[in-house]
Amino acid sequence: MSRHHPGHHPLAPTDDPPVSAPPADGPVAKESADTEHGLFAATTGWLSYLAAERRLSPKTVEAYGRDLRQFLTFLTEYQGEPPSLGTIAALGPADLRAFLAARRREGIGSHSLMRQLAALRSFARHLERTGAGNASAFAAVRGPKVKKNLPRPLAVSAAKAVTTVESRAGDDRAEWILARDAAVLALLYGSGLRISEALGIQRRHAPVGGQADITVMGKGGKTRSVPVLPQVSRAIAEYIAACPHPLPPEGPLFVGARGGPLSPRIIQLVMENLRGALGLPASATPHALRHSFATHLLGGGGDLRAIQELLGHASLSTTQNYTKVDAARLLAAYNAAHPRA
């Protein structure tokens, strides 16, 4: 649960202009104070809900509070008076688009705008849930388009290099750990596995001893069979032989330094170190090896539908995202494979 200093509420203005001025005396002032109190109570209840029931991190709760505070500040300037629960309930899509446009003029990027809109929608749903408003206007506004970054595969030579123990010759870690890391990365590149799929393999299913394929469980609990190259099998066998910890059949194939399940974060750190050692770009991540698997197969004349099955993609369009870096080859493979091409 998020805890804030009693003197600083997430919606309390910091460097931002104040949301509202203190009311003057009189009946109008009392009405203003009541509406402000209602809005403050609603925002406090919303933030408590995010922290206690949604279990969002304190930083996320703080960011959402800041997003709402900026919106209320905008409404004060936009409407010429401090907002209340009533004015928020009366907002239309045009008002929200005006806010997004104002933020865009301030140089705010699409990702930040999407998060801010998500925060406002969450607040509106909270008002609806508590009978203090409705969320229709917030739901009616489409968020800004966010450009998707295309996959950036490694060069063939670089992909091969990260899967060998020799690439970490200067590393002072135990030999069996170096062998383990090389085996995991070899599986990611050689079979196009997701890191969760590779680390989810049980010892009894290890593709060694002439086994030419392996069955893995992908997203949605779907299983698929993927081929395993002889070089990958050898790397796994070398790791198993060197591992000092017992590897029971029902336990994980890849274990950590103390013998427990291996964390994906460890493999991510391995790739970070290899980026420095081999001079690779920041895009060289464990998942980039999966991209590389698909792209290099396609570049070598692999069938698009076969690659889709190997990756475990439900739709061909997802496979296309993995291989847009070689659009000409993709089009040729598609035309050759599609019955109506």
Side-chain angles (χ1 to χ4, degrees):
M1 181 172 180
S2 175
R3 296 183 179 180
H4 302 282
H5 191 280
H8 177 66
H9 189 276
L11 291 181
T14 51
D15 296 330
D16 300 323
V19 171
S20 58
D25 295 332
V28 175
K30 183 179 186 305
E31 180 182 353
S32 176
D34 288 343
T35 56
E36 288 176 20
H37 176 75
L39 180 56
F40 182 81
T43 56
T44 302
W46 172 58
L47 293 171
S48 296
Y49 163 78
L50 294 178
E53 297 188 37
R54 290 285 306 282
R55 297 187 180 278
L56 299 185
S57 71
K59 286 187 177 295
T60 301
V61 173
E62 183 179 355
Y64 270 31
R66 184 170 58 250
D67 289 336
L68 179 58
R69 184 176 69 245
Q70 291 169 346
F71 179 61
L72 298 180
T73 299
F74 166 80
L75 288 181
T76 300
E77 300 171 353
Y78 181 66
Q79 297 182 327
E81 61 181 4
S84 66
L85 289 176
T87 56
I88 290 178
L91 292 175
D95 301 314
L96 298 176
R97 283 193 285 267
F99 168 69
L100 295 177
R103 296 291 287 159
R104 178 73 80 182
R105 288 193 295 271
E106 294 172 3
I108 303 302
S110 294
H111 283 283
S112 296
L113 286 179
M114 284 292 290
R115 189 204 67 200
Q116 193 150 32
L117 184 57
L120 298 181
R121 285 172 174 164
S122 173
F123 178 63
R125 287 194 298 270
H126 176 76
L127 295 182
E128 197 168 59
R129 236 181 354 258
T130 57
N134 66 80
S136 58
F138 293 83
V141 175
R142 295 180 61 182
K145 290 185 178 180
V146 178
K147 183 180 179 182
K148 293 183 179 179
N149 294 325
L150 293 177
R152 300 180 65 181
L154 281 67
V156 173
S157 58
K160 289 181 178 179
V162 301
T163 63
T164 65
V165 174
E166 290 74 21
S167 296
R168 299 173 65 192
D171 200 312
D172 59 358
R173 306 201 73 185
E175 289 295 326
W176 79 268
I177 289 182
L178 298 181
R180 177 203 65 191
D181 297 343
V184 173
L185 296 176
L187 257 179
L188 301 186
Y189 176 54
S191 297
L193 301 189
R194 300 178 178 93
I195 190 170
S196 59
E197 294 170 346
L199 300 188
I201 297 173
Q202 293 183 334
R203 168 62 182 89
R204 60 178 176 154
H205 295 145
V208 294
Q211 184 177 331
D213 58 12
I214 187 171
T215 299
V216 297
M217 181 174 292
K219 290 184 177 180
K222 296 180 180 179
T223 60
R224 71 182 189 281
S225 180
V226 294
V228 179
L229 297 170
Q231 302 95 308
V232 178
S233 293
R234 284 197 296 272
I236 295 174
E238 290 171 4
Y239 150 68
I240 292 174
C243 182
H245 300 291
L247 298 174
E250 303 295 328
L253 170 60
F254 298 107
V255 296
R258 297 182 180 179
L262 180 59
S263 167
R265 181 57 185 154
I266 297 299
I267 302 302
Q268 292 168 350
L269 290 173
V270 169
M271 282 297 291
E272 287 182 17
N273 291 334
L274 285 170
R275 287 203 298 265
L278 302 175
L280 301 177
S283 58
T285 63
H287 203 64
L289 292 174
R290 179 169 154 87
H291 294 312
S292 304
F293 163 83
T295 304
H296 297 166
L297 274 184
L298 188 66
D303 177 75
L304 187 64
R305 289 288 182 183
I307 296 173
Q308 176 190 354
E309 292 182 9
L310 290 173
L311 291 172
H313 287 157
S315 68
L316 194 62
S317 62
T318 307
T319 307
Q320 286 175 310
N321 285 333
Y322 272 67
T323 51
K324 279 182 180 176
V325 290
D326 192 357
R329 174 68 70 173
L330 171 66
L331 184 59
Y334 184 80
N335 288 335
H338 198 288
R340 294 186 178 180

